[in-house]
Amino acid sequence: VQLQASGGGLVQPGGSLTLSCAASGLPLDVYAIGWFRQAPGKEREGVSCISSAADDGTSYADSVKGRFTISRDNAKNTTYLQMNSLKPEDTAVYYCAADLIVHRCNYYLTYGMDYWGKGTQVTVSS
């Protein structure tokens, strides 16, 4: 299982970025994909998750609801995190992760996932 996050960078407050997570070795129909972030000196935070389970779907941290959107392209085995109205407090290293669909997304956002990719830095600053 390999996960590769990309798309980070420097953006001004109020700006937008789209992160991508390319997955190999795991079919997205049986794996949930999550985005997590960690800022210097802070604990890791579950940001968003997407699952193909019939009774699940997408989940977001309260801090990003209404601003971030998670989506995926199964044909490309790629998951995206569209981030709008970015704030300085969104500055962090963002990681994508994956786990078999056993639990609901909210569980994974709280407790983490089994497979992790390398992070991509997002910096929101003027």
Side-chain angles (χ1 to χ4, degrees), residues 19-116:
L19 304 182
S20 299
C21 177
S24 60
L26 57 92
L28 292 186
D29 58 346
V30 296
Y31 280 82
I33 301 292
W35 285 97
F36 298 78
R37 67 186 181 186
Q38 189 163 22
K42 293 188 176 181
E43 291 188 354
R44 185 186 68 201
E45 177 187 19
V47 175
S48 183
C49 173
I50 187 166
S51 169
S52 62
D55 61 345
D56 207 358
T58 59
S59 185
Y60 298 92
D62 288 342
S63 58
V64 305
K65 277 181 183 176
R67 300 188 298 122
F68 290 12
T69 303
I70 192 170
S71 63
R72 67 183 180 200
D73 184 334
N74 286 349
K76 296 182 178 179
N77 240 30
T78 300
T79 303
Y80 305 96
L81 186 68
Q82 173 69 42
M83 306 186 295
N84 298 327
S85 303
L86 283 162
K87 305 175 182 179
E89 50 264 44
D90 294 318
T91 296
V93 178
Y94 284 71
Y95 301 87
C96 63
D99 209 325
L100 279 169
I101 299 174
V102 176
H103 301 288
R104 297 179 65 87
C105 266
N106 284 337
Y107 174 94
Y108 294 123
L109 291 182
T110 301
Y111 297 106
M113 302 177 113
D114 278 350
Y115 303 101
W116 294 83

